[in-house]
Amino acid sequence: MYSVLCLLIVSIFHGCNAHETEKQMFKFIENQEKIIEEHSISNRELAFLKSYKDGKPVSITLYYEALCPYCRMFMAEQLYKSFNRLKDTDIISNVTLVPFGLGYKSRLANGEHVFICQHGEDECQLNILHNCIIHYSNYDFKKFLRIIDCIEDSEQPLKRADFCLKLGSYFYNLDDAAVNKCRNGKEGNDLLFKASLLTDELFRHTKQKYVPYILINGKHIEVEVDMAQDNLNKLLVEKYIGETPNDA
């Protein structure tokens, strides 16, 4: 089976680096799975959660910016791990990502939007890329989360992006050519502008502006947000089976 997968993956990556890219992909996936197994819900608990059908599924919304250290920490250490461990249960109903954050925007005479991001031009490029990935995943969190986590969980996210897009192409039929066209053109610019409007609308109704800004079932409750950043698995399971975090 492994040899068949190798042949399939090699056919995707053209050129002299095909075998090296294949090795990187399998190593990346293996490392992710190992980390998740070591810091997560036990197999016995997971079996119970798969069989439990009377729970209340939970939605997660995250407003963030691509190079914010705390955003990246939450996505890598909590959000993706919880999703990957619980993906075969009914616990997570939806994940919405809004990549913009605390940037600034203006509009040129030709209609093009110009952005200034907190962590520089690389962050603006990554915010656009994330929006394009989400869009071309048809807003299906079961597709875009792994791709975006692959990018975010790297010391050099922009340099790793092409590898992660190929991973998305292989596993989720992501049109990586369309994503690349999107990130370098008007479509990506427009998608980032839409994300900025969603962020503006959120912060219009909050006392403070910061990221990561997390909503659980559409609500930002401090005790739940604190738990989400410390132990998202615990929060999701408690919400699903009907327990309420203390002081909520």
Side-chain angles (χ1 to χ4, degrees):
M1 180 64 179
Y2 178 83
S3 61
V4 174
L5 283 175
C6 286
L7 289 172
L8 287 172
I9 292 177
V10 168
S11 68
I12 296 173
F13 300 99
H14 304 288
C16 61
N17 293 324
H19 290 284
E20 185 61 31
T21 306
E22 169 205 332
K23 292 177 183 177
Q24 291 173 351
M25 178 179 286
F26 277 110
K27 184 176 181 181
F28 167 76
I29 294 170
E30 181 183 355
N31 288 342
Q32 275 195 322
E33 298 296 337
K34 190 179 295 183
I35 292 170
I36 288 164
E37 289 293 333
E38 290 174 353
H39 299 85
S40 191
I41 294 169
S42 71
N43 289 335
R44 183 177 180 180
E45 292 168 330
L46 186 63
F48 166 74
L49 292 169
K50 287 180 180 179
S51 67
Y52 190 81
K53 300 300 179 182
D54 295 326
K56 298 178 180 179
V58 183
S59 69
I60 304 165
T61 304
L62 173 65
Y63 293 79
Y64 72 103
E65 52 199 25
L67 291 181
C68 160
Y70 295 106
C71 299
R72 297 177 69 190
M73 185 182 299
F74 174 71
M75 294 178 75
E77 297 298 322
Q78 299 296 334
L79 182 57
Y80 181 74
K81 288 182 182 178
S82 291
F83 156 72
N84 199 64
R85 191 60 170 153
L86 299 172
K87 63 180 182 290
D88 295 325
T89 74
D90 296 329
I91 293 178
I92 301 176
S93 62
N94 191 40
V95 176
T96 301
L97 299 184
V98 185
F100 180 73
L102 304 179
Y104 299 92
K105 61 181 179 293
S106 60
R107 190 168 186 172
L108 301 178
N110 64 2
E112 181 182 357
H113 305 287
V114 178
F115 304 97
I116 299 175
C117 299
Q118 277 211 107
H119 301 91
E121 178 59 26
D122 282 1
E123 182 169 77
C124 286
Q125 292 183 36
L126 284 164
N127 285 342
I128 290 174
L129 175 58
H130 288 198
N131 276 285
C132 290
I133 290 169
I134 294 166
H135 178 74
Y136 279 95
S137 298
N138 295 315
Y139 297 87
D140 183 347
F141 71 96
K142 294 181 179 180
K143 295 181 179 180
F144 65 67
L145 273 181
R146 169 171 269 183
I147 305 166
I148 290 178
D149 178 73
C150 173
I151 296 170
E152 287 291 283
D153 192 23
S154 168
E155 292 182 2
Q156 297 180 307
L158 269 180
K159 290 186 177 180
R160 196 178 195 180
D162 287 341
F163 164 77
C164 298
L165 291 179
K166 290 297 183 184
L167 181 146
S169 174
Y170 176 75
F171 284 102
Y172 305 113
N173 295 316
L174 178 74
D175 188 342
D176 54 324
V179 171
N180 279 319
K181 182 178 179 181
C182 172
R183 70 193 282 200
N184 293 310
K186 182 178 184 300
E187 185 177 27
N189 188 271
D190 289 345
L191 287 171
L192 186 59
F193 180 68
K194 290 179 182 178
S196 76
L197 295 181
L198 290 172
T199 305
D200 288 347
E201 180 62 23
L202 169 77
F203 288 143
R204 193 172 291 121
H205 303 287
T206 63
K207 294 180 179 179
Q208 294 179 309
K209 298 180 181 181
Y210 59 88
V211 289
Y213 199 94
I214 304 164
L215 305 179
I216 303 297
N217 289 336
K219 297 180 180 179
H220 182 85
I221 300 173
E222 289 297 334
V223 66
E224 291 187 354
V225 170
D226 289 344
M227 184 184 290
Q229 293 181 290
D230 183 59
N231 191 339
L232 183 58
N233 280 334
K234 185 174 188 293
L235 174 66
L236 292 173
V237 170
E238 288 187 357
K239 297 287 286 185
Y240 181 68
I241 65 178
E243 294 184 19
T244 303
N246 294 333
D247 301 323

